[in-house]
Amino acid sequence: MPRTAQTEDFQKKHEVKDQDYAKTIPCNQVSISAPFHWLALGLHDLIRMPVISAFYGLCFTAAAVAIVQLVQWQGTHLVIMPSLVVYMLIGPFLALGLYDAAWEREKGHKASLFHSMKAIGRNSTSQWAFAVLLAVAMIFWMRIAALLHALYPSVQGAPLTEFAPFLITGSVIGFVIASIIFSLSAFSIPLMMERRVDVMTAVFTSFNAVKSNIPAMIVWAFIICGGILIGFATFGLGMIITMPILGYGTWHAYHEVIKKRHHT
């Protein structure tokens, strides 16, 4: 005979397994100074794994140099956004190798370049879905930017006040979209690689983790932007160092912020 449902049955909190679709994995609270610790750990990994770091650093550098050369060759800023879309597509896949190397060191294994390159296929379906999500977001951003050009002064040599609506509106919208993209992607790729979760679980978890640690993540976002700006300011050469450090640092950030699985 079936058991009568009790009130307690509806009050119990059942643990959801990682493979369940579109769940939000809990996160930890970190201090505002935590990003500097992640940066220090990333620098330590760079020193410990020079060959792997140099390989991926050069890959990031090659992509950055290609963008700079394309802009100079075309002589227009209109190719910047399409180029960044491509960069957003290849960037996460390059970072996978850095995450894998840091993960191997964390487990006490000797990291290898070949093993790190195989990380691309560890959860390829979700990773490609995420790459497409980023590309769609960037294309949407491009369309918004194109519409904002209606606010651009039509008179050559117009005073600065004429540019104010264009600059202010563009900056606000750009900040909002960039913040959303950063929140969705901050921890998604390492989460998909390590736990092989679906893309929705990854983005929900990442967004929740960023929302729960806004001060620390603002600092981390500025550090990431600084590293990328250094790279482009040096015509991509700086990325040989900055991108591996940021990649390793992101892995350590992920491990500190996202709660670990409890095996029963």
Side-chain angles (χ1 to χ4, degrees):
M1 180 177 180
R3 183 176 68 87
T4 304
Q6 303 296 323
T7 305
E8 300 91 312
D9 295 337
F10 302 97
Q11 295 175 339
K12 291 180 181 178
K13 294 182 179 179
H14 299 285
E15 183 179 351
V16 183
K17 296 182 180 179
D18 277 354
Q19 59 264 33
D20 288 354
Y21 183 78
K23 61 165 290 210
T24 300
I25 300 172
C27 66
N28 299 310
Q29 297 280 335
V30 298
S31 69
I32 194 171
S33 62
F36 299 103
H37 178 59
W38 306 334
L39 196 64
L41 292 174
L43 178 59
H44 185 263
D45 286 339
L46 173 76
I47 296 171
R48 293 286 183 177
M49 297 181 288
V51 175
I52 295 176
S53 302
F55 173 80
Y56 288 105
L58 286 170
C59 289
F60 277 107
T61 296
V65 169
I67 290 176
V68 173
Q69 290 297 321
L70 182 61
V71 173
Q72 292 179 344
W73 179 53
Q74 293 289 334
T76 174
H77 68 283
L78 296 177
V79 299
I80 294 177
M81 288 300 288
S83 300
L84 289 178
V85 170
V86 177
Y87 198 79
M88 292 288 287
L89 279 169
I90 65 175
F93 288 95
L94 291 176
L96 274 169
L98 297 169
Y99 302 153
D100 178 83
W103 188 18
E104 286 298 294
R105 279 203 71 241
E106 199 172 71
K107 293 186 293 187
H109 302 164
K110 184 177 180 180
S112 71
L113 180 59
F114 178 70
H115 190 279
S116 69
M117 293 173 70
K118 292 196 299 181
I120 295 177
R122 190 162 292 135
N123 189 3
S124 57
T125 301
S126 294
Q127 290 160 5
W128 274 111
F130 182 71
V132 171
L133 176 65
L134 287 182
V136 170
M138 292 297 293
I139 292 171
F140 174 74
W141 195 348
M142 288 170 56
R143 299 308 303 162
I144 294 294
L147 292 174
L148 286 175
H149 269 79
L151 300 175
Y152 198 86
S154 57
V155 181
Q156 190 173 7
L160 184 60
T161 53
E162 296 287 331
F163 289 88
F166 172 76
L167 294 175
I168 294 173
T169 306
S171 298
V172 171
I173 294 178
F175 174 78
V176 171
I177 297 177
S179 298
I180 294 173
I181 292 175
F182 174 74
S183 299
L184 297 180
S185 61
F187 303 111
S188 296
I189 293 293
L191 183 59
M192 286 186 284
M193 184 192 74
E194 183 192 24
R195 304 196 190 183
R196 306 193 186 202
V197 299
D198 60 274
V199 66
M200 298 310 297
T201 294
V203 297
F204 288 167
T205 299
S206 180
F207 185 84
N208 177 66
V210 172
K211 184 185 68 172
S212 302
N213 292 280
I214 291 178
M217 297 312 297
I218 289 176
V219 173
W220 185 236
F222 272 105
I223 290 174
I224 292 174
C225 290
I228 294 174
L229 287 175
I230 290 172
F232 277 104
T234 56
F235 296 95
L237 295 178
M239 290 189 177
I240 298 176
I241 296 176
T242 61
M243 296 311 291
I245 292 176
L246 293 175
Y248 297 139
T250 298
W251 173 261
H252 294 294
Y254 156 72
H255 250 229
E256 185 173 346
V257 174
I258 307 301
K259 286 186 180 291
K260 295 178 173 60
R261 288 177 291 187
H262 297 287
H263 300 282
T264 56

